[in-house]
Amino acid sequence: MEIVKRQKMLIFLAFLLFLSGCAGQENEAGDAAETRFFGMDTDISITAYGKNAEEALTDAQSKVAELEKLWSVTDENSDIYAINHSRGRPVNVSEETKRILSFALDMAKQTGGALEPTIYPALTAWGFTTGENRIPDKSELEEILRDVGYGNVHLSGNEVTLPSGMELDLGAVGKGFVADELSNALKQAGVTSALLDLGGNIQLIGTKPDGTDWKIGLRDPFGESYIGVLSISDRAVVTSGNYERYFIGEDQKQYGHILDPATGYPAENGLVSVTVVAEEGKLCDALSTSLFVMGQEKAMDYWRENQNFDMILLTEKGEIYLTEGLADKFETEPDYGDVRVELIKETVDRKGE
Ligand code: ADP
Ligand code: MG
């Protein structure tokens, strides 16, 4: 029974967009332009309104290709490939690589290493980088973790030094960072309203052309319908969970692709997903991954300490926890049943204290 329930959860896709009524429409802001393409290992779609939207979307696609080429782990010409094969020698990187790396290292520090840009060798041990999944021994993981640690990455100006045996991977922040770049470029080109979807990483410019909020649906992990809908504008919305990329081991257990850097094992702490809402996509992307690693209690504490974002936590028990900023933006679907929605408060209520 347990397995049946879990498998149902896996069908769950984080977000579904309700785009009807806006795509293809003309409006005061100018014609709608749409594009769909494959990039950064995922499906990307952008709908934009405003002057020059069409041209801006063509530029956006080239921008994705350009950044992807810099950060690919496998492309021999990428900055990341050069760093990972440098055998400890300093490597000169592009301005964009310097910026994303500097951001990733800051966030790694800020999250106490829950975000770990050097976790790649552990992902390889689990077969997540090759698709040939296996369950590594505890001792194998312990050995690998000796060469994992963002603190050993040195960035000085445009020069990166990575000790031999270590590997960098910006997969957990790349899409969010690219979404910010695209969003800024679109705004500069005169786009006043847009929805960018980079494989479920959502970035919104302005409101919908009719002036109302964009509606983003949160899928029900336990059924076919939605848990609720987020009405939101001018923000990024990013979800991380272990239900989309995972494998079932010989022991019939499910192993997800987000690893806890403290153990090298997939994060498993009662959370199904973490959705982060903030102005910048890169912050959302970095936090959704790392708060998922932290688990509910630590994620809530992190929010209390920082508060520069909002979040929605979904637990395996089917509960929803939201931060105060989303209280009037998130509406649960009547179909979802008697779901428990709790507000995460700024102060902790500890009974008996
Ligand atoms: P996705 O990119 O699949 O939408 P995330 O943004 O949460 O989801 O990034 C997950 C990816 O980041 C994994 O596929 C893996 O490459 C990498 N990763 C896994 N665990 C960590 C971690 N603790 N810190 C940094 N990167 C991680
Ligand atoms: Mg992420």
Side-chain angles (χ1 to χ4, degrees):
M1 277 311 285
E2 184 56 25
I3 290 171
V4 174
K5 197 173 160 197
R6 290 201 132 213
Q7 299 236 330
K8 262 193 172 174
M9 264 162 52
L10 308 176
I11 305 168
F12 164 61
L13 266 178
F15 284 100
L16 190 105
L17 308 171
F18 301 111
L19 285 171
S20 56
C22 54
Q25 197 176 296
E26 281 200 22
N27 61 89
E28 283 169 18
D31 293 351
E34 269 187 277
T35 184
R36 272 168 198 280
F37 54 95
F38 192 79
M40 308 206 66
D41 226 7
T42 194
D43 288 314
I44 298 181
S45 69
I46 310 175
T47 305
Y49 302 85
K51 275 183 253 140
N52 316 320
E54 199 78 51
E55 203 185 326
L57 291 191
T58 310
D59 292 347
Q61 185 166 350
S62 331
K63 186 83 193 159
V64 171
E66 197 184 298
L67 295 174
E68 188 179 6
K69 233 173 145 32
L70 288 178
W71 304 334
S72 159
V73 185
T74 48
D75 185 333
E76 293 183 12
N77 299 311
S78 83
D79 276 353
I80 297 300
Y81 189 95
I83 296 168
N84 288 349
H85 294 82
S86 63
R87 298 170 193 269
R89 291 211 197 94
V91 174
N92 246 311
V93 297
S94 64
E95 202 57 29
E96 284 97 335
T97 302
K98 170 187 140 183
R99 278 171 46 223
I100 191 173
L101 183 57
S102 156
F103 173 73
L105 294 174
D106 280 353
M107 289 307 295
K109 192 168 177 197
Q110 179 83 19
T111 60
L115 185 81
E116 178 48 86
T118 68
I119 196 75
Y120 198 76
L123 287 162
T124 303
W126 286 94
F128 284 116
T129 57
T130 56
E132 281 160 35
N133 293 114
R134 58 187 274 273
I135 305 169
D137 286 345
K138 195 161 179 257
S139 57
E140 185 186 344
L141 288 172
E142 280 166 3
E143 176 86 31
I144 286 170
L145 289 187
R146 275 187 225 147
D147 277 332
V148 168
Y150 67 90
N152 295 326
V153 185
H154 294 288
L155 177 65
S156 160
N158 285 54
E159 211 172 74
V160 183
T161 316
L162 184 75
S164 197
M166 289 184 68
E167 287 177 295
L168 264 183
D169 157 40
L170 302 170
V173 292
K175 276 182 278 175
F177 195 97
V178 168
D180 287 334
E181 296 289 300
L182 298 185
S183 162
N184 290 336
L186 289 177
K187 283 185 207 160
Q188 284 246 302
V191 167
T192 47
S193 164
L195 186 150
L196 297 84
D197 179 354
L198 286 79
N201 277 34
I202 306 297
Q203 189 101 10
L204 306 166
I205 297 178
T207 60
K208 285 202 290 185
D210 65 5
T212 61
D213 278 330
W214 301 94
K215 307 262 189 236
I216 306 214
L218 188 55
R219 284 288 287 274
D220 175 3
F222 309 108
E224 302 297 307
S225 60
Y226 302 99
I227 280 182
V229 175
L230 198 54
S231 299
I232 199 128
S233 297
D234 252 331
R235 288 282 181 283
V237 183
V238 177
T239 298
S240 284
N242 257 345
Y243 49 85
E244 276 185 322
R245 280 183 53 204
Y246 66 93
F247 72 96
I248 306 281
E250 279 170 11
D251 56 2
Q252 299 308 311
K253 272 192 69 182
Q254 176 201 328
Y255 295 95
H257 69 136
I258 298 176
L259 303 184
D260 181 348
T263 62
Y265 281 87
E268 217 189 300
N269 47 37
L271 286 181
V272 176
S273 72
V274 175
T275 298
V276 177
V277 181
E279 263 172 50
E280 291 195 303
K282 63 181 184 218
L283 182 69
C284 293
D285 205 356
L287 286 178
S288 64
T289 309
S290 48
L291 297 174
F292 185 82
V293 169
M294 287 182 203
Q296 184 179 337
E297 291 306 321
K298 282 192 189 155
M300 287 179 172
D301 286 342
Y302 185 92
W303 175 75
R304 288 186 187 107
E305 277 160 31
N306 294 277
Q307 298 209 15
N308 54 342
F309 65 99
D310 276 297
M311 66 180 180
I312 305 173
L313 307 179
L314 283 190
T315 72
E316 280 175 359
K317 291 186 198 147
E319 305 143 329
I320 302 177
Y321 291 85
L322 326 164
T323 51
E324 287 165 337
L326 297 179
D328 59 350
K329 296 189 169 68
F330 185 76
E331 218 177 307
T332 46
E333 284 289 290
D335 288 356
Y336 188 60
D338 0 313
V339 54
R340 230 177 94 204
V341 182
E342 299 246 348
L343 266 195
I344 304 169
K345 304 228 179 73
E346 281 178 43
T347 48
V348 192
D349 267 342
R350 287 205 175 95
K351 288 193 186 93
E353 275 178 24

